[in-house]
Amino acid sequence: MLKTPTPFQHELEMVTLEQLVPKDHLLRLIDRHISFDFIRERTQALY
């Protein structure tokens, strides 16, 4: 029994998180006011 071939994707769409997250999203406000740079240093030993 033969299956019908599925269509191939011919185009790519480039999307960034910047485009997906609305400008007024709560996480943008948090990111603007809180620096999470310390996390990498504190969790380094866990990797």
Side-chain angles (χ1 to χ4, degrees), residues 25-39:
H25 195 279
L26 175 62
L27 290 177
R28 287 188 181 272
L29 182 64
I30 292 170
D31 186 51
R32 199 174 305 133
H33 294 282
I34 301 174
S35 172
F36 292 100
D37 294 339
F38 68 93
I39 293 176

Side-chain angles (χ1 to χ4, degrees), residues 2-45:
L2 294 174
K3 294 183 181 180
T4 307
T6 57
F8 290 98
Q9 180 178 348
H10 296 288
E11 296 180 17
L12 293 176
E13 182 177 354
M14 300 298 285
V15 180
T16 65
L17 285 175
E18 216 30 61
Q19 295 170 308
L20 295 175
V21 179
K23 298 292 183 202
D24 60 346
H25 195 279
L26 175 62
L27 290 177
R28 287 188 181 272
L29 182 64
I30 292 170
D31 186 51
R32 199 174 305 133
H33 294 282
I34 301 174
S35 172
F36 292 100
D37 294 339
F38 68 93
I39 293 176
R40 184 177 302 275
E41 182 181 328
R42 291 204 181 158
T43 61
Q44 185 175 5

